[in-house]
Amino acid sequence: MRALCWYGNNDVRAVTVSDPSILNPHDAIIRVRLSSVCGSDLHLYDGFVPSMMPGDIIGHEFMGEVVDTGRDVQNLQRGDRVVVCSIIACGKCLYCQRGLFSLCENSNPNAWAEGSLFGYHTAGIFGYSHLFGGYAGSHAEYIRVPFADVNAFKIPEGVADDAALFASDAFPTGFFAADNCNIQLGDIVAVWGCGAVGLMALCSAYLLGAERVIAIDRFPERLQMAREHVGAEILNYMEVDVIEALKDITAGRGPDACIDAVGMEAHAGGLPGMYDKVKQTLRLELDRPHVLRHAIQACRPGGTLSIVGVYAGLLDKIPMGAAMNKALTFKMGQQPGHRYIPRLLDYIAAGQVDPSFVITHRMSLDHGQEGYQLFKTKAEDCVRVVFTP
Amino acid sequence: MQQTTHQMMNQEQTSSINVGNEERLVSLLAGAALMLAGLKRIVPGGFLQTVGAILGGYYLFNRGLTGHCEIYHALDMNTAVETNKNAVSVPHQQGVHVRKSITINASPEEVYRFWRNFENLPRFMNHLESVRVMDERRSHWVAKAPAGMTVEWDAEIINEVPNEVIGWRSLQDAQISNAGSVRFRPAPRGNGTEVRVELEYVPPAGPLGAAIARLFGEEPSQQIGEDLRRLKQLLETGEIATTEGQPSGRGGSR
Ligand SMILES: NC(=O)c1ccc[n+]([C@@H]2O[C@H](COP(=O)([O-])OP(=O)(O)OC[C@H]3O[C@@H](n4cnc5c(N)ncnc54)[C@H](O)[C@@H]3O)[C@@H](O)[C@H]2O)c1
Ligand SMILES: [Zn+2]
Ligand SMILES: [Zn+2]
């Protein structure tokens, strides 16, 4: 089959590889219909996630059709149209049973490696480096899905492929981010980053009862999406002082919750930006925490900071004094999508949300490099490139 | 009651420092350097080399921070004895001791029953080729040794309380004289079972032989840790997570 593989920084190529097969009794093989790029892939593409190997198939946000099932798969049948959570969970460990699926204890075959880095290990993730299990990703014609009964969700009739696709990753991630804000009636939620994840976080904050949501980014086309498709108020951080603007919007109170939907490759102008860029390039600091710093500063006392933008390693100059003295609550993590996906598919089926507005480009796998280049540079107003293998 | 726990914890903390001060500093520096090298990918080679360097770096770094070295611990070596005489707690100077534990989301009865059928052990202990049960107490073990060789011995159960503990040791003419025990205890709030394993063995060529073997990746403590993780996966999900045999763009399947 054709598959898009990582060969080094800024280097992905479509090549012919062998077809996947059932390796374990709970596996299913899915024929991929749609597979999207994600901001997390950029961290691989840009070389900030260790333990990638040349030849790794990337991609983790996908939907498709079941073509084969292992002998212990019970809920799926050949021909079922499914969306698969990007995070792999077993459904049986204590974490899974408590709904903390992204902390699954049994889905990462390289648990020892991640455990040595982070103290303990977490769940495996499709196409997301060997630390997270080394699973082959979804930018391919076929993919093997472990614990398929737990990780693949049947798509209700009437829900289009384009919309269901984002119930894999961007939508549950945004929903998780908003859910972590413990939103109360009348709350104001500020979201940094208007990629698909940030846009879905804005949507979700409304779904969970926020009174006002504020979108922060620098790309006009993305901010426009936030305004037109979500109904958010928008702030371009290149044009206004975000912290002052948020004070103004909230009449001096500050946002009740701040969501970081940007992560370790945040952009910043000026000297602070240079400082982190240089340190990150030298790998003296792994991540560039501009957004984290701003969000801590901007959040009201007693507010919540919800982090879904990915960080991989060590951060520098985090204003812990502000966080501590303002008694902020920090919530974060990789998305436990299994907790939300059926509910999100219901929202889509009911016409309350249609995430497919984030699709700006469609391509075949053979144009993978071009797609990632567009997505990385945000050229041609690119928000999500979707591959049709 | 609280005080006793506190004292115990303190004791454990002191006795877990087994790396001397100078060595700790060297570990910290070398660890940081290796970690950065790994992250900068200046280490030639693929995943294993890169991750190896990063992890090796973290490992040394941690050892510098905490003053505790797993490998020394497993080997019963202690370079901190000079400054901390009371810390030497393990009497044997010859054998290799390994202690590892894990919590499994299954009842003590289930875990005990699975383990008690020794023929199940090779399903999760990668270094065992086979175990054949001979009678109620005795069994024959075959382990994989370096360079495609095998090591065999007969073992007998010397201690057993159903659902709580199984203890065994090798019989006299064993090629590797060894002993082990596994304990099963309900985890707090009935959330599964705490499984604690202790193993002790005298390798064929003495501690040096084991140390050399270990250089080639045969770290017993990590090995047993991985074995226990596989046991957990098997008992909780009925399978062992793997990517062995999946496609990649490295030519053929890996
Ligand atoms: N936690 C999870 O489970 C999970 C899942 C998916 C994605 N993610 C992470 O979410 C983040 C966003 O993903 P995406 O797919 O939306 O990526 P994306 O690249 O499409 O969007 C990132 C956005 O952040 C904006 N941005 C950069 N610097 C900023 C700054 N200083 N202030 C405000 N906005 C800034 C960019 O302009 C861009 O619009 C990534 O870090 C990704 O790894 C996490
Ligand atoms: Zn993603
Ligand atoms: Zn699990």
Side-chain angles (χ1 to χ4, degrees):
Chain A
M1 64 170 184
R2 295 295 279 173
L4 191 62
C5 300
W6 181 97
Y7 285 97
N9 297 355
N10 300 307
D11 180 10
V12 296
R13 280 175 247 157
V15 295
T16 299
V17 304
S18 56
D19 287 353
S21 54
I22 303 271
L23 300 178
N24 262 334
H26 296 96
D27 289 354
I29 304 294
I30 309 291
R31 188 176 68 77
V32 180
R33 298 235 283 239
L34 300 173
S35 181
S36 176
V37 302
C38 167
S40 298
D41 296 335
L42 289 181
H43 311 321
L44 311 175
Y45 192 70
D46 295 338
F48 291 115
V49 178
S51 82
M52 286 297 289
M53 269 173 85
D56 285 344
I57 303 174
I58 60 170
H60 58 261
E61 183 163 53
F62 66 105
M63 57 78 56
E65 184 189 315
V66 177
V67 292
D68 197 5
T69 54
R71 70 177 139 80
D72 290 343
V73 174
Q74 283 170 350
N75 304 332
L76 297 174
Q77 261 153 24
R78 204 170 286 202
D80 281 347
R81 198 165 62 105
V82 293
V83 54
V84 179
C85 188
S86 57
I87 309 270
I88 304 168
C90 80
K92 297 287 174 47
C93 69
L94 272 175
Y95 284 103
C96 283
Q97 288 183 350
R98 289 178 191 149
L100 305 169
F101 295 96
S102 53
L103 307 181
C104 174
E105 297 181 285
N106 293 321
S107 62
N108 185 346
N110 297 330
W112 61 273
E114 197 203 349
S116 318
L117 274 179
F118 298 155
Y120 294 87
H121 71 92
T122 62
I125 305 180
F126 290 106
Y128 198 63
S129 89
H130 291 261
L131 276 185
F132 295 95
Y135 287 99
S138 61
H139 293 339
E141 291 175 66
Y142 298 93
I143 184 170
R144 164 188 164 245
V145 173
F147 306 115
D149 281 332
V150 180
N151 296 301
F153 295 80
K154 282 186 219 167
I155 301 171
E157 290 220 0
V159 171
D161 287 4
D162 281 359
L165 167 64
F166 298 104
S168 164
D169 194 46
F171 197 3
T173 303
F175 201 85
F176 173 57
D179 196 21
N180 275 343
C181 296
N182 187 23
I183 295 172
Q184 308 294 309
L185 219 64
D187 273 3
I188 301 182
V189 180
V191 178
W192 274 256
C194 292
V197 171
L199 291 165
M200 288 300 112
L202 291 159
C203 276
S204 304
Y206 269 142
L207 287 170
L208 291 170
E211 172 122 350
R212 295 167 74 181
V213 298
I214 298 148
I216 304 158
D217 205 303
R218 77 174 182 285
F219 291 106
E221 68 280 4
R222 290 180 170 225
L223 287 168
Q224 195 182 331
M225 267 188 180
R227 182 160 53 198
E228 283 173 12
H229 290 275
V230 187
E233 294 163 58
I234 58 174
L235 293 177
N236 187 327
Y237 66 88
M238 297 298 275
E239 289 165 6
V240 298
D241 177 333
V242 169
I243 294 177
E244 280 310 312
L246 286 172
K247 268 196 183 143
D248 187 44
I249 291 173
T250 59
R253 301 190 305 278
D256 300 287
C258 293
I259 293 176
D260 173 352
V262 179
M264 65 171 127
E265 293 185 72
H267 156 270
L271 204 56
M274 295 251 289
Y275 170 85
D276 287 298
K277 188 106 195 190
V278 168
K279 284 196 85 171
Q280 193 179 39
T281 309
L282 294 174
R283 300 295 194 270
L284 289 172
E285 168 180 61
L286 278 181
D287 306 332
R288 301 195 299 258
H290 304 304
V291 165
L292 204 51
R293 289 180 194 140
H294 266 127
I296 290 174
Q297 206 67 22
C299 200
R300 75 155 167 85
T304 298
L305 200 73
S306 166
I307 307 168
V308 286
V310 164
Y311 294 90
L314 312 173
L315 303 188
D316 200 359
K317 303 221 169 5
I318 296 301
M320 211 54 205
M324 190 277 162
N325 289 288
K326 288 199 290 179
L328 300 187
T329 298
F330 276 55
K331 300 279 277 179
M332 60 193 93
Q334 299 281 359
Q335 55 118 352
H338 314 72
R339 208 197 283 166
Y340 305 117
I341 290 172
R343 176 174 176 182
L344 303 185
L345 288 171
D346 284 348
Y347 283 130
I348 298 173
Q352 277 178 277
V353 182
D354 180 1
S356 62
F357 71 83
V358 300
I359 301 178
T360 51
H361 293 75
R362 286 173 207 273
M363 288 178 189
S364 71
L365 292 174
D366 289 330
H367 290 92
Q369 174 71 1
E370 186 190 334
Y372 271 98
Q373 210 51 42
L374 274 178
F375 180 51
K376 174 179 172 154
T377 57
K378 317 299 186 210
E380 295 181 13
D381 295 353
C382 177
V383 177
R384 272 289 197 263
V385 178
V386 171
F387 298 112
T388 45
Chain B
M1 170 66 195
Q2 254 200 339
Q3 184 143 23
T4 355
T5 343
H6 188 69
Q7 279 170 355
M8 272 170 53
M9 278 175 57
N10 264 343
Q11 240 174 27
E12 244 176 45
Q13 252 161 29
T14 3
S15 67
S16 73
I17 296 180
N18 63 1
V19 182
N21 267 342
E22 271 174 39
E23 216 185 317
R24 281 172 75 173
L25 187 64
V26 174
S27 287
L28 264 176
L29 294 176
L34 209 63
M35 223 156 78
L36 291 176
L39 293 171
K40 277 192 229 164
R41 278 178 215 292
I42 59 172
V43 184
F47 163 63
L48 280 180
Q49 280 81 354
T50 315
V51 169
I54 297 168
L55 294 184
Y58 252 80
Y59 176 74
L60 283 177
F61 194 72
N62 264 329
R63 167 178 130 138
L65 280 182
T66 60
H68 178 81
C69 172
E70 275 302 324
I71 294 179
Y72 281 1
H73 183 74
L75 272 171
D76 288 338
M77 283 184 185
N78 195 329
T79 58
V81 183
E82 279 297 296
T83 51
N84 188 3
K85 288 219 157 62
N86 296 336
V88 199
S89 58
V90 190
H92 313 270
Q93 288 295 319
Q94 286 205 322
V96 176
H97 300 240
V98 185
R99 266 179 65 182
K100 222 55 199 195
S101 56
I102 198 162
T103 302
I104 297 181
N105 194 13
S107 68
E109 293 74 21
E110 287 171 81
V111 189
Y112 162 82
R113 207 181 313 126
F114 189 83
W115 194 299
R116 180 60 179 82
N117 179 2
F118 286 151
E119 301 193 353
N120 278 331
L121 300 187
R123 290 175 66 186
F124 62 92
M125 295 189 155
N126 273 4
H127 273 49
L128 283 183
E129 197 156 284
S130 67
V131 179
R132 186 165 44 82
V133 173
M134 288 150 46
D135 58 38
E136 256 308 288
R137 310 210 69 75
R138 291 180 323 141
S139 46
H140 181 75
W141 300 52
V142 183
K144 298 168 198 159
M149 299 189 304
T150 55
V151 186
E152 309 193 12
W153 66 91
D154 288 339
E156 64 170 349
I157 292 177
I158 49 171
N159 174 23
E160 179 171 26
V161 181
N163 306 329
E164 285 178 26
V165 64
I166 310 170
W168 65 91
R169 70 165 174 224
S170 57
L171 295 178
Q172 281 204 330
D173 50 356
Q175 283 178 295
I176 291 185
S177 81
N178 65 90
S181 70
V182 53
R183 279 162 210 283
F184 312 95
R185 205 171 66 183
R189 283 167 287 141
N191 281 331
T193 303
E194 296 179 351
V195 180
R196 294 175 189 280
V197 174
E198 298 213 30
L199 287 180
E200 193 177 307
Y201 64 91
V202 183
L208 190 66
I212 289 168
R214 213 149 297 131
L215 280 182
F216 295 101
E218 303 291 317
E219 219 277 275
S221 163
Q222 187 186 322
Q223 197 60 53
I224 301 300
E226 286 302 292
D227 288 346
L228 289 180
R229 211 193 302 283
R230 279 187 286 270
L231 171 67
K232 177 182 169 72
Q233 293 179 1
L234 210 49
L235 287 175
E236 291 186 357
T237 74
E239 63 182 53
I240 293 170
T242 187
T243 55
E244 213 63 50
Q246 70 175 7
S248 82
R250 284 182 282 282
S253 60
R254 185 175 77 93

